[in-house]
Amino acid sequence: MSRLIVLSNRVKMPDNNPMAGGLAVALQDILTGSSVIWMGWNGAIIDSSDAGEINSFSNYKQAAIASPRMQGTHAEVTYMTTALTTRQYEHFYCGFANNVLWPMLHEQPELINQAPEDYAGYQDVNRLFAQQLKSIIQPDDVIWVHDYHFLSVAYHCKKLGIKNRIGFFLHIPFAPLAFWRQLAQSCELIKQLAHYDVLGTQTQQDKAHCLAVFQHYLKDSLLEDSFVEENLVEENPFEDSLAKNSLLDFLPINVLYSKQSATRAHTASGTQLKLHLELKSHHALIINAYPIGVNVTKIQQQVSHVFSPLSLSSIKHIQNNDTVKPISQRIIAVDRIDYSKGLLERFSGYRDFLQQYPAYQNQLQLLQIACPSRLDLPTYQRLYKEVKQAVYNVNQQFLPNTDSWQAIDYSEEVLSHETVMTAFCQSDIGWVNSLQDGMNLVAKEYIAAQNPDNPGVLMLSRYAGAAEQMQAAVIINPHQPKSIIEGLNTALTMTLGERKSRYQALLQGLQQDNLHTWQQSFLDDLYLNDTYANKKHQTDSDSPAAVQMFGS
């Protein structure tokens, strides 16, 4: 039986400890129902001089709940992890991945800070994981690689002689060509990235950027292919309900499409590029958008207890004792402390709102759950201090008339997923203020956690990938204070009927494109036979090895 091998930077071990980071949590939620190997970094850092312990991989196996299609079979998840050495952590993780690729892909080139050894360190770690894959790979296995840490793994796998299908999914934005051109290593990275069999992005716009970048750097490798560029204006599928919302000022989105010809296959599986590569003369690469979803059923089960009459009586406020005055309405925001999340813009816009609408003072509270991250990097150290200072400044500006209220309730506690979902259910507004985001699962989780009889309102940045699917939210521009103020006013004064209408539209989308749909659609393409290469090198009777998909 074929195994699925998943590679991601961090691995969520099967324990009860909460973990920040949507990627690892999402993967943990789907890696059940079949034989899966999950490979990655265990979070530990060891001294580079301790040669005896460098990059030894440990295995931990746990029985998995078999899917209905696998009843009677043995299913387990194998967690295969390693520590990083101090040099690997410095140059691969802190250096090229998070000081170079992260700011470039989030369109912040001014924050790029690259040391001479960083790129070599990035390639070394990509090669390390390729070597580990080589040591465990079996002929029918399929490999699924995740995120910007591992752009080059497929290339190193192919150099080692691995012929198995390898897919790559980018959880963060795929930046436009203009940003790739500012990076000296972009040409080599794209040529290496092209060795994957399937490349997935979060949104159609990211897919368009990807095709443009591949056209630019691989123009000499494309086999009889051409691109046509056209500007398309995005239509709003929730137009009637949002007619009064002046914030939906979406600009035209630049989308690439390709004319159908005898040399390009256009199917529901995306755009297929036919390439002549260094390691494979006839290579077919599928590029498509696979918007990641959430487990709606699981979230609804987690919050079902909140819908009881006793719980609903306390939804609108935080009540520590009988003398505390209730807070009328609550906004919730959950973010890593990262410059892509728009935290400083949120606090500034919230301050402006309270100034313009003073009646909400002492009545409205922003609950900000913030998780510090990457504090070894100076950029994140500065941002962390700025966030703390901004919260303090807002709270000082709006000193409460009583001890029961402060403008921003700020917490850095890492909470369990169920606790966060309950907090979502108990909040009137969920606020996602991303300046640039691949998807942002907080937006989807907030909607999934709402009470259908009294749903809250999602206020969503137009720059989050989720906005491409979730236009029934109140869409704002986080760079424009006026947009934030108007968005808050719209959300806080929205009628129950309109809240329900928006919620139903958003929930329908979540149920249609849920977490398992994302998983299945990507793997359907990854498990496809490489028909283009087969025509060159195999007989028509050949077929791919039988692959057992995990739970549908």
Side-chain angles (χ1 to χ4, degrees), residues 12-166:
K12 176 67 177 76
M13 297 300 290
D15 52 38
N16 294 322
N17 298 324
M19 178 177 180
L23 188 160
V25 173
L27 290 180
Q28 182 194 36
D29 210 27
I30 65 170
L31 296 185
T32 57
S34 76
S35 295
V36 180
I37 297 174
W38 189 0
M39 182 186 296
W41 176 35
N42 62 16
I45 304 170
I46 58 176
D47 193 331
S48 299
S49 63
D50 192 355
E53 294 296 327
I54 288 180
N55 298 131
S56 60
F57 282 77
S58 62
N59 292 355
Y60 175 83
K61 295 184 179 182
Q62 184 181 61
I65 301 173
S67 69
R69 297 164 62 180
M70 293 187 62
Q71 293 301 320
T73 64
H74 176 69
E76 66 180 11
V77 178
T78 300
Y79 299 86
M80 184 173 292
T81 62
T82 184
L84 293 180
T85 69
T86 51
R87 287 185 59 82
Q88 289 168 343
Y89 179 74
E90 178 183 356
H91 297 302
F92 159 71
Y93 180 76
C94 294
F96 198 76
N98 288 315
N99 259 337
V100 179
L101 288 178
W102 179 273
M104 186 273 286
L105 291 167
H106 285 88
E107 304 181 20
Q108 300 267 9
E110 69 279 4
L111 297 178
I112 291 176
N113 181 17
Q114 183 172 181
E117 303 86 359
D118 288 347
Y119 184 65
Y122 182 84
Q123 291 296 330
D124 287 344
V125 172
N126 275 248
R127 188 181 302 108
L128 164 72
F129 281 100
Q131 290 167 344
Q132 182 63 19
L133 288 167
K134 173 69 172 178
S135 71
I136 66 168
I137 200 77
Q138 296 177 7
D140 292 339
D141 290 344
V142 174
I143 303 169
W144 191 6
V145 179
H146 290 264
D147 230 5
Y148 62 103
H149 309 86
F150 298 123
L151 299 181
S152 304
V153 161
Y155 170 76
H156 292 296
C157 284
K158 300 304 181 185
K159 285 194 72 174
L160 292 170
I162 295 176
K163 299 184 183 302
N164 304 61
R165 298 276 288 173
I166 310 177

Side-chain angles (χ1 to χ4, degrees), residues 89 189 254 331 493 537:
Y89 179 74
L189 283 171
N254 192 30
I331 306 166
T493 59
H537 304 293

